[in-house]
Amino acid sequence: MSNELESLRERIEVINDEILALLQERGSLAKKIGEEKRKQGTQVYDPQREKEMLNHLIDNNKGPYNDNTIKQLFKEIFKASTDLQKSENEKHLYVSRKLKPEDTIVQFDNGAIIGNNKKTFVFGPCSVESQEQVDTVAKDLADRGEKFIRGGAFKPRTSPYDFQGLGEEGLKILKNSKDKYGLNVVSEIVNPAHFEMADEYLDVFQIGARNMQNFELLKEAGKTNKPILLKRGLSATIEEFIYAAEYIHSKGNNNIILCERGIRTYETATRNTLDISAVPILKQGTHLPVMVDVTHSTGRKDIMLPCAKAALAVGADGVMAEVHPDPSVALSDAGQQMDLNEFDSFHKEIVQAAKLYEK
Ligand SMILES: O=C(O)C(=O)C[C@]1(C(=O)O)C=C[C@@H](O)C=C1
């Protein structure tokens, strides 16, 4: 190598070290700014501030890098700062694994557990329609050793003309079934004023996808002392989902179960797109148990089983799916609920699969 090349490279290496030292100093300042912003409750990303700094830098750019290159380089630096600030902020979230490294385990009086490397299943009809309908499914579940049943009494439907659920009457039906078969009952609450009334009937309050950012509902859920099953919103990012859980936790209720239930994408082959990667991301980022609803994510009985197995394989603490004694006459989601025969083979296979992953 010529002496000239060698000495130019040496000078560049010295500059690398200087840039690195300056980046370290800049990063530390960005962290402090982030801390101030957190105290003030202001947004991490400040596009106006970034624009002003970029304009200033371009005004002073004397080459040899062109303005666009300078812009790109500094945008990367700003992005690194916002990433740093966000990751620091996470340390202050109640639901964050950075704050609490050990898993949250949700426990129930009948010995059931959600979390703790157990695979838990929540099955049941989409809507509560009659005592007989719920009892038929509850008996089937209890005979299989299952510990939970789900069923909707308050149904937030896309069309106001679709079946809206039996309301409190539906909760009473679920409770009767619970008393007969010893299952924990999961049902959705849509109105903040209903938690008190529903408390005597339910073991888990579900907050559905359409209400994931109903902040008043989340706050009321946080004031109860029952486990909350929080479903991911149809178009919610993982970050928004985590903040929704934070709303509940921040009001004092730390018994939260997250549920990935598919998100809206351009894909039409399934009802929603099951975001399987959300499971390990949520498990890494939070200490909460994570379940996967294979009925609402896929909307297709023919692929529910492989998707359920995939959910367990990527670390989900359990799976939810809909079962109805006679789906053809169901008052909601008739096409996607399993009948008891279909459920029999689904259940046998998923219980086998669960054994592979339970520690
Ligand atoms: O000045 C701020 O508000 C910062 O948070 C620092 C900083 C930066 O790195 O310069 C980071 C993120 C913002 O979008 C803008 C600027």
Side-chain angles (χ1 to χ4, degrees):
M1 222 189 291
S2 79
N3 279 350
E4 180 58 9
L5 178 58
E6 219 167 289
S7 89
L8 288 171
R9 282 185 166 173
E10 273 168 18
R11 282 169 60 195
I12 270 205
E13 281 169 16
V14 171
I15 292 174
N16 281 349
D17 289 341
E18 287 170 0
I19 293 175
L20 180 62
L22 286 171
L23 282 175
Q24 283 163 344
E25 196 182 334
R26 196 183 192 289
S28 303
L29 286 172
K31 264 171 81 170
K32 284 188 185 149
I33 292 178
E35 188 61 26
E36 284 307 311
K37 285 184 174 173
R38 198 180 64 77
K39 283 185 204 151
Q40 292 173 19
T42 39
Q43 286 269 339
V44 159
Y45 175 52
D46 186 342
Q48 186 56 31
R49 167 93 178 126
E50 292 192 8
K51 194 171 149 197
E52 282 161 14
M53 286 191 289
L54 287 176
N55 288 343
H56 171 80
L57 289 161
I58 284 160
D59 284 348
N60 287 296
N61 182 23
K62 298 187 179 66
Y65 296 118
N66 67 33
D67 287 354
N68 205 29
T69 307
I70 293 294
K71 218 172 165 175
Q72 291 313 317
L73 287 171
F74 274 89
K75 274 188 166 180
E76 277 301 317
I77 293 175
F78 299 156
K79 169 81 172 48
S81 295
T82 47
D83 285 350
L84 193 64
Q85 292 173 343
K86 278 186 188 166
S87 130
E88 285 295 305
N89 279 356
E90 261 181 46
K91 285 186 188 156
H92 300 275
L93 294 186
Y94 289 110
V95 298
S96 168
R97 202 177 272 286
K98 285 186 182 151
L99 189 74
K100 175 178 175 273
E102 64 282 1
D103 285 340
T104 288
I105 301 161
V106 182
Q107 286 170 315
F108 296 84
D109 292 343
N110 68 349
I113 275 182
I114 301 184
N116 202 22
N117 297 316
K118 281 255 159 286
K119 303 294 182 190
T120 305
F121 302 110
V122 178
F123 302 118
C126 178
S127 299
V128 174
E129 294 163 9
S130 68
Q131 190 68 62
E132 192 193 354
Q133 170 231 20
V134 175
D135 282 353
T136 308
V137 178
K139 181 178 184 319
D140 187 275
L141 292 173
D143 288 349
R144 293 172 191 280
E146 288 302 332
K147 299 262 193 307
F148 291 87
I149 185 166
R150 56 138 292 138
F154 296 96
K155 301 296 299 175
R157 305 298 301 283
T158 304
S159 163
Y161 306 112
D162 284 340
F163 177 57
Q164 302 288 307
L166 297 180
E168 187 171 354
E169 189 50 38
L171 300 184
K172 285 183 185 161
I173 291 175
L174 286 166
K175 175 72 164 68
N176 285 337
S177 232
K178 172 195 165 77
D179 292 342
K180 280 186 223 163
Y181 300 103
L183 300 168
N184 292 301
V185 175
V186 183
S187 195
E188 178 167 356
I189 298 296
V190 296
N191 182 338
H194 286 169
F195 285 109
E196 211 179 316
M197 169 275 290
D199 191 61
E200 65 173 296
Y201 306 116
L202 301 180
D203 300 286
V204 178
F205 296 133
Q206 178 178 310
I207 295 191
R210 283 164 185 77
N211 273 320
M212 189 208 81
Q213 282 187 317
N214 180 339
F215 300 116
E216 295 312 311
L217 192 65
L218 297 174
K219 287 187 218 164
E220 277 312 303
K223 292 181 200 158
T224 71
N225 54 14
K226 285 254 161 88
I228 308 294
L229 187 122
L230 177 65
K231 289 200 160 188
R232 180 177 179 183
L234 278 68
S235 303
T237 63
I238 292 175
E239 191 184 25
E240 288 163 343
F241 190 20
I242 290 174
Y243 274 110
E246 183 71 8
Y247 260 93
I248 300 170
H249 205 314
S250 68
K251 291 289 172 197
N253 188 348
N254 55 6
N255 279 320
I256 305 163
I257 304 138
L258 301 175
C259 182
E260 160 62 35
R261 47 79 71 205
I263 49 173
R264 276 213 170 146
T265 68
Y266 51 79
E267 184 53 70
T268 54
T270 47
R271 177 171 169 178
N272 289 289
T273 296
L274 172 56
D275 182 7
I276 201 80
S277 57
V279 176
I281 293 172
L282 291 167
K283 295 289 294 179
Q284 269 173 29
T286 80
H287 48 78
L288 303 174
V290 179
M291 300 193 74
V292 170
D293 176 342
V294 289
T295 298
H296 290 98
S297 50
T298 66
R300 286 178 53 157
K301 290 194 269 192
D302 57 335
I303 60 165
M304 266 177 213
L305 182 62
C307 291
K309 287 181 178 173
L312 299 184
V314 295
D317 296 284
V319 165
M320 295 184 78
E322 287 181 353
V323 186
H324 190 289
D326 189 357
S328 62
V329 297
L331 295 177
S332 56
D333 287 355
Q336 63 186 31
Q337 304 192 60
M338 286 181 269
D339 66 27
L340 293 174
N341 271 333
E342 290 163 332
F343 180 57
D344 181 54
S345 46
F346 176 93
H347 189 258
K348 281 183 180 134
E349 289 227 33
I350 201 65
V351 165
Q352 274 310 108
K355 289 185 186 145
L356 296 174
Y357 304 109
E358 280 179 346
K359 288 173 206 151

